[in-house]
Amino acid sequence: GFRGYFEKKPHFIQSVPFAIDIAGRILGEERDVEECLGDCWLQLWNAIPPARPQHFRGYLGAVVRNRALLLRRRRGRQGDTVSLAALELAECLPSREGPEEQAEAAELGRAISAFLRELGEGPRTAFLRRYWYADTVEETAGHLGWSLSRTKSVLFRTRKKLKAYLEQEGML
């Protein structure tokens, strides 16, 4: 089970601060972060095995991010970095309101993943840090060792490319 995975994968312990950081960026309050991470550890315990993630850190990041966003929605909170990042992306993405659009949303996810695979490492990392991990623009720039203006420019151009890509794919 998870315990065996944990014992064989010491990088699990090294990933705990990463998980705390993601939950903290999305939720903000320590009490909410603790609740989110408790839920995530239980989810991981139940998922591994049968899941055997090759990239545990990415798997953990997705579990924590999704759980934190769910908890945030349940608490009815908006604002700060997460909402600002969502607003930046909103102009590039189609609106998906009704239940019948779930299949389209999955297709959109695959299209965005394909788009990201085509990007160079720097723009892809900037995009993911900003829009997946909810880093501020300043944090994204610091992580990449870029100036703030370069980071803003790369993110703007990447959003424009994403919009054009999605239009070309017939998703907008």
Side-chain angles (χ1 to χ4, degrees), residues 34-161:
E34 289 175 6
E35 178 182 341
C36 174
L37 292 177
D39 293 345
C40 291
W41 303 143
L42 179 62
Q43 183 177 344
L44 289 169
W45 181 269
N46 291 327
I48 300 173
R52 296 194 184 279
Q54 290 183 337
H55 303 285
F56 181 76
R57 188 175 165 106
Y59 185 82
L60 173 65
V63 168
V64 171
R65 178 184 181 277
N66 292 338
R67 183 67 188 154
L69 289 171
L70 178 66
L71 188 58
R72 184 182 178 84
R73 274 193 300 273
R74 285 185 181 159
R75 299 251 160 86
R77 279 191 270 144
Q78 297 297 325
D80 58 43
T81 303
V82 175
S83 293
L84 184 58
L87 287 173
E88 289 173 4
L89 270 184
E91 66 189 45
C92 305
L93 302 175
S95 173
R96 305 282 186 219
E97 301 272 335
E100 68 276 356
E101 283 90 7
Q102 285 188 359
E104 290 178 13
E107 187 177 330
L108 175 63
R110 287 188 293 276
I112 292 172
S113 292
F115 169 78
L116 290 172
R117 283 191 296 274
E118 293 178 8
L119 290 177
E121 184 178 344
R124 180 177 48 247
T125 300
F127 188 91
L128 290 172
R129 300 279 320 175
R130 178 72 178 126
Y131 302 115
W132 178 259
Y133 295 113
D135 279 3
T136 64
V137 176
E138 292 81 5
E139 290 166 332
T140 301
H143 177 81
L144 291 165
W146 292 355
S147 69
L148 190 57
S149 63
R150 177 181 180 191
T151 304
K152 287 179 181 179
S153 177
V154 166
L155 289 169
F156 176 77
R157 286 193 313 268
T158 304
R159 287 192 311 270
K160 277 182 66 173
K161 287 178 186 176

